[in-house]
Amino acid sequence: MIDGLTYYQILGLPEDALLKEVQGAWRKFVKENHEDVVPQAERQAAKERMFRINEAYAVLGHEEKRADYDNGYMLNGGSKNELVRSRVRRAKDIILRDRSLITREEMKLIESIIDYLDKNIQETCFVWMTDILCERPEMARHVVTSAFDEQLLGANSHLLNTLLEKAPYVMTWEKIYLYGEEILGVVGKENKERNYNQLARILCHRLDLAKHFVYPAFQEQASGCESCLLPTLLKVAPKEITQDHFNDYIDTVHSMRWIVYGQLRNYNEQAVDWILKARPDLIRKPEEKPAPKELPLPLRS
């Protein structure tokens, strides 16, 4: 405990929170306490908060450490598997109920355990959420994360399509940002490209959030994906790319050594050309060559 608070209380989580919820809470706190968004006068307090948050996350984000912590403080019995099984049983009961009676909390519970279900049940849940969205449009904001999960998991359902058709305005920049971060962990180039293409579709529906698609577009290129997020951004909102954005991307490109990452570097150099064609006002900074290393004395000629 820290100052009488459990790690769960520090992260604002219930004691039966699953790993996905722990990660989400930590990311939220990191974003809120980042030095770029905290006023100068509050930065010291933000650093102290982050110390506590990181300590809590280091334990709750690690399965074995969390089980030891729960056992030590008599929380949950240290049994993660039983927590998951209990939630899965409850989720299966929820999707059999009258959809007009489903609450926000029940939608959130199903969202929290979707990764623990087999593919068929996942798709059943996404279809069920699609039906709820069609019947109860006011629930749209509660299916956004699940719509992104549908794409990350490669489910054969239409929740994201329906959401884009009926209520694209409920997608916040925070959830779009987290979706972009999740794409980085997707296995397989084809799956990554499919998800970046979905981001491009979302961009076309939410041009007011275009500036939040810049870094995902650069991540798309840096990972070697031949999808259409960056071309779409350059077509519909090129002015959202700032000089700072461009400098960061150029640093990434320069870090790709030709001798090791020749094909990837060549692909990203092509992307740089696209950007400069759409935004000729941007300036590419020169590549800094590393200083030659001196040989040890015995090896000098």
Side-chain angles (χ1 to χ4, degrees):
M1 291 191 179
I2 304 177
D3 297 335
L5 298 175
T6 68
Y7 289 153
Y8 294 100
Q9 291 168 331
I10 289 170
L11 292 177
L13 294 167
E15 292 172 2
D16 64 347
L18 299 179
L19 179 59
K20 187 174 182 180
E21 296 169 303
V22 173
Q23 292 171 336
W26 177 77
R27 286 176 181 146
K28 176 175 176 287
F29 280 120
V30 168
K31 191 161 49 178
E32 290 175 351
N33 290 279
H34 194 278
E35 62 180 14
D36 288 345
V37 298
V38 175
Q40 181 70 36
E42 299 177 20
R43 286 185 182 175
Q44 185 56 40
K47 284 183 180 179
E48 293 174 2
R49 287 194 296 271
M50 280 308 304
F51 176 81
R52 295 167 53 172
I53 290 162
N54 285 331
E55 181 177 331
Y57 179 68
V59 172
L60 300 187
H62 189 283
E63 199 170 316
E64 293 181 5
K65 291 180 181 178
R66 179 177 178 181
D68 291 341
Y69 175 79
D70 285 350
N71 283 328
Y73 287 96
M74 302 296 288
L75 303 171
N76 294 328
S79 176
K80 177 191 171 192
N81 289 335
E82 182 53 37
L83 287 173
V84 173
R85 283 195 292 268
S86 174
R87 285 195 178 192
V88 169
R89 286 194 295 268
R90 190 175 167 202
K92 288 180 178 179
D93 291 338
I94 289 171
I95 63 176
L96 296 176
R97 289 179 49 209
D98 184 341
R99 290 193 290 267
S100 65
L101 302 176
I102 300 301
T103 66
R104 176 181 62 183
E105 289 71 23
E106 289 170 331
M107 296 285 283
K108 194 171 182 179
L109 181 142
I110 291 177
E111 174 192 310
S112 72
I113 52 87
I114 203 78
D115 289 338
Y116 298 93
L117 304 175
D118 65 51
K119 191 172 181 65
N120 289 334
I121 299 178
Q122 284 175 346
E123 291 184 354
T124 299
C125 287
F126 291 135
V127 171
W128 175 80
M129 289 181 184
T130 304
D131 292 339
I132 287 182
L133 176 57
C134 293
E135 296 170 11
R136 300 176 59 190
E138 74 277 7
M139 296 294 281
R141 68 183 65 258
H142 307 303
V143 303
V144 176
T145 300
S146 295
F148 293 156
D149 285 341
E150 171 195 56
Q151 299 304 312
L152 292 166
L153 294 167
N156 186 26
S157 46
H158 305 286
L159 179 56
L160 180 62
N161 291 342
T162 306
L163 185 62
L164 288 174
E165 177 185 339
K166 294 185 174 295
Y169 55 86
V170 300
M171 296 183 181
T172 63
W173 73 266
E174 293 94 342
K175 290 188 176 180
I176 291 170
Y177 169 83
L178 290 176
Y179 179 38
E181 291 293 299
E182 294 281 356
I183 293 175
L184 294 176
V186 170
V187 177
K189 182 181 176 183
E190 184 177 341
N191 290 331
K192 272 193 171 76
E193 290 176 344
R194 179 173 49 77
N195 279 277
Y196 280 122
N197 284 333
Q198 296 296 0
L199 266 182
R201 292 181 62 214
I202 295 167
L203 169 60
C204 292
H205 284 81
R206 292 303 307 271
L207 291 178
D208 56 312
L209 298 179
K211 68 180 181 181
H212 301 293
F213 289 80
V214 175
Y215 278 122
F218 291 161
Q219 289 169 349
E220 169 196 49
Q221 300 303 308
S223 62
C225 289
E226 300 176 65
S227 35
C228 64
L229 179 55
L230 179 62
T232 302
L233 179 67
L234 293 176
K235 182 177 180 180
V236 301
K239 291 296 183 183
E240 296 298 341
I241 301 176
T242 67
Q243 185 65 52
D244 286 341
H245 289 148
F246 190 54
N247 288 344
D248 289 343
Y249 178 49
I250 291 299
D251 286 340
T252 300
V253 174
H254 288 169
S255 70
M256 301 172 187
R257 297 173 57 196
W258 282 104
I259 195 169
V260 180
Y261 303 105
Q263 186 174 354
L264 181 62
R265 175 69 182 262
N266 188 62
Y267 178 65
N268 278 270
E269 289 290 349
Q270 182 184 49
V272 171
D273 290 340
W274 296 342
I275 296 167
L276 290 174
K277 184 176 180 180
R279 288 290 308 280
D281 56 307
L282 295 176
I283 300 172
R284 175 173 182 165
K285 61 182 181 180
E287 184 170 3
E288 295 181 5
K289 301 292 183 181
K293 294 183 180 179
E294 287 192 4
L295 292 172
L297 286 172
L299 297 180
R300 291 184 183 174
S301 58

